[in-house]
Amino acid sequence: MSDHDPAEPGSPARRRLPWSRGQRFVAVVALVAVAALGTGLAFGRFVVSPADRATQNAAPPPGPITAPLEQRVVQSTVTTRADVTHADAVGIEPDLSGLAGAAVATGRVPEVGAQLDAGTVALEIAGRPLIALPGELPAYRTLRAGMSGPDVAQLKAALSSLGIDAGGADDVYDAATASAVQELYRRAGYTAPGDPDAEREARAARTAQRAAQAALDDAVAALHTAGAAPGGSALLELDNAVREAQRELDLATASGAAESELARLSDALALATARRNEGAAAPDTAVQQAAVDAATRQLDDATVEATRSEQRALTPLPPSEVAFLTSLPRRVDSVSVSRGKAVSGEVMTVSGAELVLAGTVGESDAPLVTSGARATFTAPDGSEHGAQVRSVAEDTGDDRASDGAPSGDGSASTAGRRYRVVLVPDALDDATLNAVRDRNVRVTVPVQSTQGSVLAAPIAALTSGAGGESRLELADDEGTRLVTVTTGLSAGGFVEIRSDDPAVTAGARVVVGR
């Protein structure tokens, strides 16, 4: 054997040889056994026998479901959704049919949000103003002196509301009304409208009237001249001639003048007497009087025509220059025209300056919501604000945007007639007003309520006794017992209760189910 036998233990050759095949097999088997043992122990924790499984799945012992009694206000309400908007939105569409030139917006175009007051200019069309006035009837014709009707009465009432005297409360457009319209335009900063043809006719009629007056004056002067009696000297001269003829006749008679001379002197006396009588008699002025009568008739006709012409020339009010709105002031919601552009149809929409909440309720809830009732609404930031019901009326329009709003019992009402409810909010600060404008908010209208906070129980806790009495099942650590209670208002899942039992107090638990 050599000095370095590889089989010899401890030799270098022995240390360099790998494990034998038998050694490796033993190591692998040992590792697999250890892993299998660990896995078995781990899964063994989740293995449950049938008996244990039945025990684990068994239901807990039965017991009552309880809820506490509460001290609270029990309130029955009607709840709906409402749009926060400005009241009575309407469109303004001026009547431009009588406009002579092109209908172009030349100025005074308002901004959205601007306010229109009575007597202010809403828009300038072709250099002329469109003046806002209060009234129910639209402007549909040119109003002139001599006209009458409800639209005239409306105009006079509108002018009176501005402090302008329109000539009484009747329905006649007269000179006072025309003067009031002139004042309206003066305040608006525009020249009052006129009719050039009527003004020319009025001037011509006044000229004819003056000419007829002059003709009458001449005829009257001629009549006076023709009808004037002789003056005192002329009558005295005629009297003297009569006396002279009488003296000559007397002298001739006394002297015994010849018959022929006496006859001649008698004729002279008769002629002087006749002339004196003619001079003292009233003159014949029939021709001159006829001329005066004709001139008077001509003046009367000229005066009537002048009056009519002057009335036609009084300040009119064309429909293109006035917009009657049911109430003022108004807020401009939208403007569909711009300066320099042609005007056609509706020029803007306006609504009442007052902010309102408009929603609908179902047919069953409508009788519960009355005019004047108080309500609350929730702003987008969650804050609560007060409001008052202004009106409740059947909604006959086609807009059903609010249909399906929650009704008083919290369910959506989609059948039956809908009723439009308009509410006026309490005074809001600017920030809240801007936050809620044009938003949809939740509105709650209390219908019935307890007088302050009362003891209330969940409705599910009530049961009926054999005699029909109302009962609650009180629960405590020792068990449960039945107590008789008197009930009051029921709403919102709670009912007002009263009991002589001292245990029936706020916080006491009652059985609502099992």
Side-chain angles (χ1 to χ4, degrees), residues 70-75 448-456 489 496:
E70 298 183 19
Q71 196 75 23
R72 61 181 295 162
V73 174
V74 179
Q75 187 176 71
Q448 193 176 9
S449 176
T450 57
Q451 297 297 319
S453 179
V454 297
L455 185 63
L489 179 64
E496 177 187 4

Side-chain angles (χ1 to χ4, degrees), residues 142-145 173 178 181 185 192-195 312-318 321:
T142 297
L143 298 180
R144 302 179 182 276
Y173 195 118
V181 171
Y185 277 86
D195 187 336
R312 288 193 294 268
L314 289 174
T315 302
L317 182 63
E321 298 188 10

Side-chain angles (χ1 to χ4, degrees), residues 81-371:
R81 305 291 301 184
D83 293 324
V84 183
T85 182
H86 291 82
D88 303 327
V90 296
I92 296 180
E93 183 176 348
D95 182 356
L96 305 175
S97 58
L99 199 64
V104 176
T106 53
R108 299 291 190 97
V109 180
E111 297 287 340
V112 172
Q115 180 171 300
L116 296 183
D117 296 308
T120 60
V121 177
L123 181 67
E124 184 183 275
I125 303 174
R128 299 299 300 168
L130 179 64
I131 302 175
L133 289 178
E136 298 285 341
L137 296 174
Y140 62 90
R141 62 172 178 168
T142 297
L143 298 180
R144 302 179 182 276
M147 287 184 171
S148 62
D151 51 347
V152 176
Q154 173 178 272
L155 170 63
K156 298 178 80 168
L159 293 171
S160 297
S161 70
L162 295 175
I164 303 175
D165 183 9
D170 56 27
D171 64 348
V172 178
Y173 195 118
D174 52 18
T177 312
S179 178
V181 171
Q182 285 184 336
E183 175 62 17
L184 174 67
Y185 277 86
R186 187 194 66 78
R187 294 185 183 185
Y190 287 82
T191 302
D195 187 336
D197 293 337
E199 292 173 356
R200 282 192 297 271
E201 291 176 1
R203 287 193 295 270
R206 286 192 292 269
T207 299
Q209 182 187 24
R210 288 192 295 268
Q213 181 66 59
L216 176 60
D217 293 342
D218 292 342
V220 170
L223 175 62
H224 287 167
T225 300
S233 61
L235 286 178
L236 181 59
E237 184 178 359
L238 293 174
D239 287 339
N240 291 338
V242 170
R243 285 191 292 269
E244 180 63 24
Q246 184 64 52
R247 284 193 295 269
E248 290 181 356
L249 177 61
D250 292 343
L251 288 175
T253 300
S255 62
E259 289 293 331
S260 58
E261 181 62 19
L262 292 175
R264 183 185 67 78
L265 293 175
S266 296
D267 292 340
L269 176 60
L271 178 60
T273 301
R275 288 176 176 173
R276 198 279 176 197
N277 292 338
E278 290 177 355
D284 183 7
T285 58
V287 175
Q288 290 80 3
Q289 185 61 53
V292 170
D293 293 342
T296 300
R297 289 192 296 271
Q298 290 178 355
L299 177 60
D300 290 342
D301 292 342
T303 300
V304 170
E305 182 58 30
T307 301
R308 291 175 178 173
S309 298
E310 287 175 351
Q311 285 186 337
R312 288 193 294 268
L314 289 174
T315 302
L317 182 63
S320 60
E321 298 188 10
V322 64
F324 285 103
L325 300 169
T326 53
S327 63
L328 289 166
R330 289 275 180 159
R331 177 184 181 273
V332 177
D333 294 333
S334 65
V335 179
S336 57
V337 297
S338 57
R339 187 174 183 180
K341 300 297 184 180
V343 176
S344 177
E346 188 175 283
V347 296
M348 67 184 72
T349 58
V350 296
S351 59
E354 181 185 38
L355 200 70
V356 297
L357 284 68
T360 63
V361 295
E363 187 174 4
S364 60
D365 289 333
L368 305 176
V369 181
T370 59
S371 177

